[in-house]
Amino acid sequence: MDSHDSNDPKQSPADMTAFVQNLLQQMQSRFQTMSDSIVTKIDDMGSRINELEQSINDLRAEMGVESSPSPAAPEKPKEEESKKEEGSD
């Protein structure tokens, strides 16, 4: 066993280094694949959102509704505005 143990320290670091390098390459490849997939899905979602916005605008145009602010920034109800104006006099 002593002769086997004497060869182990010389081969073990080289084997371990090769194993770790291989493992890191596999991980990098998998992360790159996942990253590419995520970017593709984000691009697809962006395209879908643009198509949805265009469809909404087309429907508004068909209905004759004027463009209003985006739902992300809704207008305050007129009742609240009139109450604030009355209180500021």
Side-chain angles (χ1 to χ4, degrees), residues 35-49:
S35 177
D36 292 344
S37 175
I38 290 168
V39 169
T40 300
K41 288 179 182 183
I42 289 172
D43 289 343
D44 289 347
M45 277 198 306
S47 296
R48 287 177 161 181
I49 289 170

Side-chain angles (χ1 to χ4, degrees), residues 5 11-12 14 24 30 33 35 37 42 45 48 54 56-57 65 68 76:
D5 289 341
Q11 290 180 348
S12 182
L24 289 174
R30 289 179 183 170
T33 301
S35 177
S37 175
I42 289 172
M45 277 198 306
R48 287 177 161 181
Q54 186 60 48
I56 289 170
N57 289 334
V65 175
S68 60
K76 294 180 182 176

Side-chain angles (χ1 to χ4, degrees), residues 81-89:
E81 288 178 9
S82 63
K83 287 180 183 176
K84 286 182 182 178
E85 288 174 6
E86 290 173 7
S88 63
D89 286 342

